[in-house]
Amino acid sequence: MELEKEKVIERIKEAKAYGLSYSKLAREIGLQPITIYMFINGTYNMSKPKQLQALCFIEKYIEQVKEQLRIIEHKGLCTK
């Protein structure tokens, strides 16, 4: 399996829109927050295993947020 750096960066940025901070992502995958910033701006090449870890965490995080939003919408506390 080959990960495309640009798609990984795009997914990291998308997760930011769901409220995931770069520092939380960095902690979860065992890196310093500056490493995430450097990866995004192209001055650092994150290893493939770390990219895979990041993507897995991001997917789980986004699913949790979506589930929480579904619960809140179901209760009528917010709208889409």
Side-chain angles (χ1 to χ4, degrees):
M1 175 175 70
E2 190 64 30
L3 297 173
E4 293 182 39
K5 182 178 178 179
E6 292 305 315
K7 289 186 178 181
V8 174
I9 291 171
E10 181 181 310
R11 198 64 176 152
I12 291 171
K13 289 179 179 179
E14 188 177 331
K16 182 107 171 130
Y18 282 90
L20 180 62
S21 68
Y22 295 152
S23 60
K24 181 173 181 162
L25 176 60
R27 277 192 307 275
E28 290 293 328
I29 63 173
L31 296 174
Q32 295 293 321
I34 189 70
T35 306
I36 301 294
Y37 291 106
M38 291 171 62
F39 177 70
I40 289 171
N41 72 23
T43 58
Y44 176 79
N45 288 322
M46 192 184 311
S47 70
K48 297 294 180 191
K50 288 293 182 184
Q51 289 182 43
L52 189 57
Q53 259 186 302
L55 287 173
C56 288
F57 180 76
I58 288 168
E59 294 307 317
K60 288 177 187 173
Y61 181 86
I62 289 174
E63 283 304 314
Q64 287 175 345
V65 170
K66 286 181 177 179
E67 180 60 27
Q68 291 168 348
L69 287 172
R70 277 192 289 272
I71 290 169
I72 291 169
E73 287 171 1
H74 179 72
K75 300 262 183 190
L77 299 173
C78 74
T79 58
K80 286 186 177 180

